[in-house]
Amino acid sequence: MNSLAAYDSDKDSASDSSPNQVVSKRIRIDAAPEINTEDLSEYNYLPGVKTKEIMHNVPYQDLARPLAGPTNPFQQDVLNKNILTGFVEEHSMSDATFSTMERTYLNLGYTVNPNSQNELIGNAAKIAEYGGATIHERNTKNDVKRKRKPKGDPGDVGGYKGPWAGYVDEDEERGLSGPTEEEKAALEAALASTPAAIIKQVEVVADPGKEKSVFHGASEFDYLGRTYMHAPTDIDGVNLHGDPGSRECFIPKSLVHTWTGHTKGVNQIQFIPKTAHLILSASMDSKVKLWDVYNERKCLRTFMGHSKGVKAIDFSNDGKRFLSCSYDKWIKLWDTETGQCIRSFSTRRVPNCVTFNPGKQNIFLTGCADKKVYQFDINTGNIVQEYDQHLGAVNTVTFVDDNRRFITTSDDKTLRAWEYGIPVVIKYVAEPDMHSMPAVTLHPSHKWLACQSLDNQILIYSAKDRFKLQRKKVFKGHLIAGYACKPGFSADGRFIMSGDSEGRVWFWDWKTCKVYKKFKAHENVVMDCQWHPHESSKVATCSWDGTIKYWD
């Protein structure tokens, strides 16, 4: 290149000597980046906070150094650091080995050092006692096995003991027949020092024949000789002898009256059939009370005969008699007008429900805690049939299909249909997602069953041949888990209602299954709600707060 630059013609050399000659300079291009050539060991470089570019390689110790102040005295410099906080050594161990070492340490107090398989760490005394064996390798040579007695000759029927032979070191004199003489003497001494009243209170059973009732009114008869149970005729706008459901129903809005008199929670209420001018209540204070719905709305009669809380009640078709079942294991038949106890029945089991046969008023059925349904004849007082198929306590008994069949629900989370008088299940309903249904109500049209399920919803089953679940008709929103809150229907079947555990009453539309209304009714769980069959918007509710309320 230099020789080419020096080569030139004479003409060109002559022109170069002119004063206007322009000299061009070549641009020098250097592709290497600019670096700092100073020795980094001579000074400590601390980049600033706003530094975005570093012109030289900075040691890691300088990058991790604080901006101001002394270095961290607790910082440990690890040479082979593979995580932020230090160095982790890779170690492979099977799940079975780890489980064995863990169980050995938890049970024996020592284990194998994972870093050295030949070293034991932990309780030195236990290591010496068990010889360093793991939980699966414990030395059982020192365990003394108990010796069994001879089994005997199988040919000797009376002397052959077989696998039931005892051990050699057992006390042959005591055997397995019962307590020793010392234990019997101690028991007799304890019974002798116990008062007789306390022994009698171990199991309180109501004595039949000691029932009584109290009339709270001024007179049982009026000036015309009619009893206090006679339906009033001076009520405007209400036909107590009309057909239920003939009037269009509406949701109640306000509280009309509160009946107080029970000292404990009320389990169930029921209007007297046909006229519904009286209402019967069963309470946990072992009493049954009859209340006036119209006129003065006071308590008319109290029935006393149970020694424990009354679980359920049921009127006969004419309302002249009713049944009550209690936790004292007795079922009693009462005369509604006179208050006399006609007959007492018992199965020696706690009855959960009781219901008359609507077609045969001398027969009633009761579901008990011993998984059975008993059929009683009132005239003889005897059990004429037993229905034994459930695997849990029977909660409800409901007659369907013109009283030819009945439905039972139980704590075994099943629903079973029976032919009346035949102890054979004709329909068995059980699903994996089913819950117990402790309360059942029949629709006014007698075509549907409303079952209160403990998963906080009301399920609808057909009350005809197939007893099929109507999956599109589900009423939910309320909270009743753990309580047998009985649902109710309006007289025309347009609305379905139920109480909940928070003291509220819920109303749903029967066709759309949507919540129509809810309001706070009681301070405790609402156990039952009944719609007046002849009033368009009158509803009675009962609760465990001991009150019965009437809404309009």
Side-chain angles (χ1 to χ4, degrees), residues 174-309:
R174 177 177 179 179
L176 302 175
S177 59
T180 61
E181 296 297 332
E182 293 79 4
E183 293 174 345
K184 292 181 180 179
L187 179 60
E188 292 177 358
L191 293 176
S193 60
T194 305
I198 298 179
I199 299 176
K200 188 176 181 180
Q201 291 177 0
V202 172
E203 183 178 0
V204 180
V205 179
D207 296 329
K210 295 185 179 181
E211 301 86 358
K212 64 178 181 178
S213 66
V214 178
F215 180 71
H216 302 287
S219 176
E220 296 187 13
F221 301 92
D222 59 3
Y223 68 99
L224 293 177
R226 299 175 300 190
T227 65
Y228 67 95
M229 289 187 59
H230 186 270
T233 58
D234 55 349
I235 301 175
D236 298 333
V238 179
N239 183 14
L240 296 181
H241 297 279
D243 295 331
S246 58
R247 303 178 60 181
E248 185 179 2
C249 296
F250 304 94
I251 302 296
K253 297 181 180 179
S254 60
L255 178 64
V256 176
H257 185 73
T258 302
W259 288 287
T260 58
H262 286 294
T263 58
K264 293 184 179 180
V266 182
N267 282 326
Q268 186 180 351
I269 55 176
Q270 188 176 5
F271 284 105
I272 193 168
K274 298 181 180 179
T275 57
H277 67 287
L278 301 175
I279 189 170
L280 193 69
S281 64
S283 173
M284 293 296 292
D285 60 2
S286 73
K287 297 178 182 178
V288 179
K289 289 181 179 289
L290 187 67
W291 310 83
D292 187 12
V293 177
Y294 299 98
N295 300 326
E296 297 180 2
R297 289 175 176 163
K298 63 179 182 179
C299 181
L300 298 177
R301 186 178 286 278
T302 300
F303 304 85
M304 296 173 288
H306 292 286
S307 61
K308 294 183 180 180

Side-chain angles (χ1 to χ4, degrees), residues 232-523:
T233 58
D234 55 349
I235 301 175
D236 298 333
V238 179
N239 183 14
L240 296 181
H241 297 279
D243 295 331
S246 58
R247 303 178 60 181
E248 185 179 2
C249 296
F250 304 94
I251 302 296
K253 297 181 180 179
S254 60
L255 178 64
V256 176
H257 185 73
T258 302
W259 288 287
T260 58
H262 286 294
T263 58
K264 293 184 179 180
V266 182
N267 282 326
Q268 186 180 351
I269 55 176
Q270 188 176 5
F271 284 105
I272 193 168
K274 298 181 180 179
T275 57
H277 67 287
L278 301 175
I279 189 170
L280 193 69
S281 64
S283 173
M284 293 296 292
D285 60 2
S286 73
K287 297 178 182 178
V288 179
K289 289 181 179 289
L290 187 67
W291 310 83
D292 187 12
V293 177
Y294 299 98
N295 300 326
E296 297 180 2
R297 289 175 176 163
K298 63 179 182 179
C299 181
L300 298 177
R301 186 178 286 278
T302 300
F303 304 85
M304 296 173 288
H306 292 286
S307 61
K308 294 183 180 180
V310 182
K311 183 71 180 293
I313 51 177
D314 187 50
F315 269 117
S316 60
N317 290 344
D318 55 5
K320 295 181 179 180
R321 298 180 298 176
F322 71 88
L323 289 165
S324 65
C325 65
S326 169
Y327 288 100
D328 61 7
K329 304 177 183 178
W330 284 92
I331 304 170
K332 296 182 182 293
L333 178 65
W334 302 83
D335 187 287
T336 310
E337 181 179 344
T338 63
Q340 178 186 1
C341 182
I342 302 173
R343 190 184 286 270
S344 298
F345 312 87
S346 179
T347 61
R348 298 300 177 185
R349 298 294 186 273
V350 176
N352 292 327
C353 60
V354 62
T355 179
F356 276 102
N357 184 347
K360 298 179 180 179
Q361 291 293 280
N362 65 318
I363 300 293
F364 73 88
L365 273 66
T366 175
C368 298
D370 62 345
K371 313 172 188 178
K372 295 182 182 180
V373 178
Y374 296 92
Q375 179 177 323
F376 279 90
D377 188 345
I378 294 176
N379 298 332
T380 62
N382 298 328
I383 299 174
V384 296
Q385 189 62 269
E386 291 184 7
Y387 304 87
D388 183 13
Q389 289 291 330
H390 278 290
L391 304 178
V394 181
N395 293 323
T396 63
V397 176
T398 309
F399 279 92
V400 296
D401 198 8
D402 297 330
N403 308 322
R404 294 179 299 176
R405 301 169 180 173
F406 63 91
I407 304 294
T408 59
T409 61
S410 169
D411 283 345
D412 60 5
K413 303 179 183 180
T414 63
L415 183 146
R416 301 170 194 249
W418 312 74
E419 286 282 356
Y420 170 73
I422 303 175
V424 178
V425 176
I426 63 173
K427 183 69 175 182
Y428 172 77
V429 181
E431 298 293 340
D433 57 347
M434 280 183 62
H435 288 69
S436 178
M437 297 179 291
V440 176
T441 303
L442 188 64
H443 191 270
S445 64
H446 301 283
K447 295 181 180 179
W448 315 100
L449 284 171
C451 304
Q452 186 78 266
S453 179
L454 288 185
D455 58 349
N456 301 322
Q457 58 183 354
I458 300 177
L459 305 178
I460 305 299
Y461 289 87
S462 61
K464 294 298 181 179
D465 295 335
R466 298 186 62 184
F467 305 101
K468 185 179 179 181
L469 173 65
Q470 307 300 312
R471 298 190 180 275
K472 293 184 179 180
K473 272 200 178 301
V474 179
F475 304 90
K476 58 180 65 176
H478 59 315
L479 182 65
I480 56 96
Y483 298 97
C485 301
K486 189 174 182 180
F489 286 98
S490 61
D492 59 357
R494 290 178 56 219
F495 302 104
I496 180 173
M497 59 182 176
S498 172
D500 69 354
S501 60
E502 298 176 351
R504 293 179 294 188
V505 179
W506 293 66
F507 295 87
W508 293 269
D509 186 86
W510 171 253
K511 291 185 178 180
T512 63
C513 300
K514 294 182 179 180
V515 178
Y516 202 92
K517 187 179 181 180
K518 61 178 178 179
F519 57 84
K520 182 74 173 180
H522 293 268
E523 297 299 327

